[in-house]
Amino acid sequence: MPPPKEPLDAPLPGVVGDSPAMRAVYRLVRLVAQSRASVLLVGETGTGKELVARNIHRLSPRADGPYVRVNCGALTESLLESELFGHIKGAFTGAVDNKTGRFEAAHGGTIFLDEISSMSPKLQVKLLRVLQEREFERVGESRTIRVDTRVIGATNQFLEDEIDAGKFRDDLYYRLNVVPIYLPPLRERRQDIAALARYFLEKYCEENRRDPPDIPGPVVERMQNYDWPGNVRELENYVERSVVLSHNQPIQWDVMVPGQERRMRATHGKPADVDGMIQQLVRLALQKLPPTEGNLHDRLVRGVERELLEQVLPLCDNVLIKAAARLGINRNTLHKKLTELRGNTPPEPSGNDDGSS
């Protein structure tokens, strides 16, 4: 009798989390893995995009084929072109031998293109051709090479913003974005934080041959209230740090969070100070607002929201994804609010709106 099929939303190997947001990711991964469709993984740095890409490959009919990863943001245009498509001897200075490109090496398998938004316009054209025609030429060679390679792209930016800024081709975006998978930041799945912390605690205690120390309830609570700007990667690093410094004693928050983070909190003040500032602003607004027949609550909230957005955007160089992260809201939510507050006129894209973090 065959074993029962695994539920579509069951956790993936190596991925920890049982929140609704992650279960939606698991479901999409299993559905798309069996297809030939290109996949675009979108998420902040440290959310586990490569881990998800590996699972898509592992669950696909190509699992026995090669899995090749390329960090597009780590190489110059010429080096990346040679890395992706290969070159022949003498194609350029330093090309002393023929080189097989990563696309050719991934034939019959999967290629994972991380930080795909950093690709130059020239390479975007070549990538589009591979996606459409499944063919390319090595640098310095006219012979066409055909490949059967599944492409998974990943970005920590919203490519719609890059298209608006003229930095990313819309036709390439549509080819890549056949099945988009959004990986939520840790602050959007706080219920997974305790399980992740214990997973990393056991992992690094085993590596260091130590007994796992206890994580007191107050520490777990502080972990769940922290926004983790570096996401799962940051949490993992902090837990490893705690294992090294705890000496088998219960984990302490002051040991887990580096001193620079404590100084940052001291510089920006405690939440109670912010609450006091808000109370003072409301009192001043109530004193200055003239009596009207309108809804006072709506006028006040709308006014504060408008001012907050207008103050935050310049601080973030008018980069929507940066501003959304600073505000702790979704980028699409921010765009909607700006459209409403500016009289149904979408904000003009900034030349600096590259979504970098």
Side-chain angles (χ1 to χ4, degrees):
M1 183 176 178
K5 287 188 176 181
E6 198 172 31
L8 286 175
D9 62 353
L12 299 168
V15 184
V16 179
D18 198 43
S19 61
M22 289 307 295
R23 284 194 169 273
V25 171
Y26 304 150
R27 180 179 177 82
L28 275 175
V29 166
R30 285 190 171 87
L31 287 174
V32 74
Q34 297 300 314
S35 72
R36 296 174 57 91
S38 299
V39 180
L40 181 63
L41 304 178
V42 182
E44 296 177 8
T45 299
T47 50
K49 294 186 287 294
E50 184 177 3
L51 193 56
V52 170
R54 287 184 180 275
N55 271 284
I56 293 174
H57 173 71
R58 182 187 63 84
L59 293 169
S60 75
R62 300 170 177 266
D64 293 333
Y67 172 84
V68 178
R69 176 185 181 273
V70 182
N71 186 338
C72 301
L75 301 171
T76 63
E77 179 187 275
S78 57
L79 288 176
L80 181 58
E81 182 177 20
S82 172
E83 194 70 20
L84 290 175
F85 306 108
H87 64 253
I88 61 171
K89 181 179 179 180
F92 51 84
T93 304
V96 295
D97 290 302
N98 292 344
K99 176 183 172 65
T100 299
R102 297 294 186 94
F103 267 102
E104 196 172 349
H107 179 71
T110 304
I111 187 168
F112 173 54
L113 303 178
D114 200 4
E115 297 187 36
I116 199 166
S117 60
S118 63
M119 268 192 180
S120 68
K122 173 185 175 182
L123 293 187
Q124 289 179 36
V125 172
K126 295 195 71 169
L127 176 58
L128 179 62
R129 182 185 173 201
V130 176
L131 288 169
Q132 290 179 330
E133 310 295 338
R134 300 187 180 275
E135 63 183 28
F136 62 91
E137 288 83 36
R138 292 177 180 174
V139 178
E141 186 178 43
S142 59
R143 180 174 66 92
T144 298
I145 298 173
R146 294 191 60 82
V147 289
D148 176 19
T149 304
R150 201 233 189 108
V151 176
I152 301 176
T155 177
N156 60 3
Q157 303 174 21
F158 285 94
L159 294 184
E160 298 94 331
D161 291 344
E162 297 295 284
I163 293 171
D164 290 343
K167 297 179 181 179
F168 202 83
R169 296 180 62 96
D170 55 356
D171 48 2
L172 175 57
Y173 170 71
Y174 297 131
R175 278 286 177 179
L176 285 170
N177 199 45
V178 176
V179 180
I181 299 179
Y182 171 70
L183 299 183
L186 205 48
R187 63 182 177 274
E188 291 182 7
R189 55 183 189 110
R190 296 181 189 273
Q191 70 188 74
D192 293 333
I193 291 175
L196 279 163
R198 293 188 178 94
Y199 172 82
F200 292 131
L201 191 67
E202 292 177 2
K203 171 185 174 181
Y204 288 108
C205 283
E206 183 178 350
E207 286 185 7
N208 291 278
R209 298 181 180 179
R210 297 184 180 184
D211 294 329
D214 182 44
I215 308 179
V219 175
V220 173
E221 185 177 352
R222 295 192 72 169
M223 290 166 56
Q224 291 173 328
N225 290 330
Y226 180 60
D227 279 345
W228 300 105
N231 294 296
V232 177
R233 189 177 299 151
E234 181 185 15
L235 174 61
E236 180 177 4
N237 291 342
Y238 283 9
V239 170
E240 182 181 11
R241 181 176 188 270
S242 298
V243 169
V244 172
L245 300 178
S246 67
H247 301 290
N248 293 323
Q249 297 298 312
I251 299 296
Q252 299 179 26
W253 178 251
D254 289 341
V255 173
M256 174 175 282
V257 180
Q260 63 185 26
E261 188 61 41
R262 294 198 297 274
R263 289 195 295 272
M264 186 181 298
R265 288 201 302 274
T267 301
H268 289 288
K270 300 178 181 179
D273 296 332
V274 175
D275 291 342
M277 292 171 60
I278 292 174
Q279 292 172 8
Q280 184 178 4
L281 286 172
V282 171
R283 284 196 297 269
L284 288 172
L286 288 172
Q287 292 172 7
K288 295 184 177 182
L289 278 174
T292 66
E293 296 180 359
N295 186 309
L296 180 58
H297 173 272
D298 289 348
R299 291 186 63 210
L300 187 56
V301 169
R302 189 175 179 84
V304 171
E305 188 172 53
R306 179 187 292 108
E307 184 62 27
L308 176 62
L309 297 182
E310 296 296 348
Q311 292 287 342
V312 168
L313 280 169
L315 292 175
C316 298
D317 302 320
N318 289 323
V319 179
L320 294 190
I321 192 170
K322 287 184 179 179
R326 182 78 177 266
L327 291 166
I329 61 177
N330 182 275
R331 180 258 184 194
N332 291 332
T333 301
L334 174 59
H335 189 277
K336 181 179 178 182
K337 287 182 178 295
L338 287 170
T339 301
E340 292 173 351
L341 292 172
R342 292 176 173 178
N344 295 324
T345 302
E348 291 293 328
S350 167
N352 295 325
D353 195 4
D354 59 4
S356 57
S357 56

